[in-house]
Amino acid sequence: MSTGKTLLFENPKTEKKEKYGYKKVKEQDPAFTIQSYMPNAKVAGPPAAGAFKPRKAGPTAFRKFYERGDFPIALEHDTKGNKIAWKVEIEKLDYHHYLPLFFDGLCETTHPYEFFARQGVHDMLEHGGSKILPVIPQLIIPIKNALNTRNHQVVCTTLKVLQHLVVSADMVGEALVPYYRQILPILNIFKNKNLNSGDGIDYSQQKRENIGDLIQETLEAFERHGGEDAFINIKYMVPTYESCMLN
Amino acid sequence: MTTAVQESQPQPSKMVRAKEWSDEVEEAYRFQLAGYRDEVEYKSVCKAEATRWPHNGYIKKLMRKDGNWYYYNKSRECSDKDVPKCKLYVY
């Protein structure tokens, strides 16, 4: 086997390049291979772990139910598309069945699933009242799955839903405190995801799509509505969070 | 062609477009989104009172003419760009 030095003399092209100031870049060897144990081996650093990388969400139960026509919602193909027409009064719906299913659809990014999941959750939270509280334990896994996709659009929607959830009924904020361990790790990862645009305009602020700001708002809503144990539990999962009530 | 229900209900004598948002415009917006002219028509078609939010009296839910339900938020829904679309009827 020839070393890098002998190769340099054998190849006149490389020598010429060196003369004019080009440096020969030695290929890096991946770590933990035989090449990496060679005397003049240059070992590559560890690859990125991908903590911020969006992950694929599998097919959701929401999509299956929607395509099967199991939801009591009417499809409308007109232009005023910001409302759902419910076939049944929301008050008569079984929240234990439907609310977790709609939350499951928060992972969706394509139309029409994304719209119906988002708007369905909104309507059910707005009009659920006391029926929401008993369903909270069933909502945690869909919320965790949605946040775990780390997809910008999905995380933004889920954060807005969480803000709505804590104010939707009495005691919901307190009921979420035991589940902070499932919800808050992703918020901790993205808490500082703010655009450093210098003195330029960050348009995502106006559209409420700035993840860092949304996380701060969400944590403050959790603290305000989570009772006296909320702050210490948030602080445990998100150490950089500072109280909006104690200071 | 007018149906018997339409003939029985009072017909408005005048219509003006909303210029700026108010509670009255919000009310008209909610009825017109569900396909009704105003509360008068809703009452005559559905034979029922509209459900309202207790804290501010805004419309909470309406049954559309096809039997489906529309649900409305607690707070203002009619954005500034929707204000000129609202029609205010006078009897």
Side-chain angles (χ1 to χ4, degrees), chain A residues 74 76 80 83-86 89-91 122 126-127, chain B residues 33 53 60-61 64 68-74 77:
Chain A
E76 289 179 301
K80 39 178 189 183
K83 277 226 176 297
I84 294 183
W86 294 86
E89 287 170 82
I90 294 183
E91 297 84 359
H122 175 87
E126 188 88 349
H127 302 270
Chain B
L33 200 63
W53 286 105
K60 188 172 189 283
K61 67 172 181 181
R64 299 192 323 179
N68 293 329
W69 295 87
Y70 259 177
Y71 280 81
Y72 298 92
N73 295 344
K74 286 177 188 138
E77 270 198 26

Side-chain angles (χ1 to χ4, degrees), chain B residues 68-86:
Chain B
N68 293 329
W69 295 87
Y70 259 177
Y71 280 81
Y72 298 92
N73 295 344
K74 286 177 188 138
S75 51
R76 174 179 170 178
E77 270 198 26
C78 176
S79 57
D80 282 337
K81 73 176 171 60
D82 295 321
V83 167
K85 292 179 200 162
C86 294

Side-chain angles (χ1 to χ4, degrees), chain A residues 13 39 78 126 137 147 149 152 160 176-177 179 218 236 244:
Chain A
K13 256 186 172 178
D78 56 7
E126 188 88 349
L147 289 172
T149 61
H152 183 93
K160 287 176 198 167
L176 280 173
V177 176
Y179 301 105
T218 312
Y236 181 69
C244 62

Side-chain angles (χ1 to χ4, degrees), chain A residues 19 46 74 107 154 179 191 220 237:
Chain A
K19 207 172 160 186
C107 294
V154 173
Y179 301 105
K191 188 169 177 283
E220 287 180 6
M237 296 308 300

Side-chain angles (χ1 to χ4, degrees), chain A residues 125 161-174 176 180 218 220-223 225-226:
Chain A
L125 291 181
V161 164
L162 283 173
Q163 290 179 21
H164 193 180
L165 181 65
V166 289
V167 296
S168 61
D170 284 343
M171 298 302 289
V172 168
E174 284 90 336
L176 280 173
Y180 282 175
T218 312
E220 287 180 6
F222 277 1
E223 189 190 349
H225 299 93

Side-chain angles (χ1 to χ4, degrees), chain B residues 20-21 26 36 71 86 90:
Chain B
E20 58 182 15
W21 183 86
E26 181 71 34
Y36 298 96
Y71 280 81
C86 294
V90 181

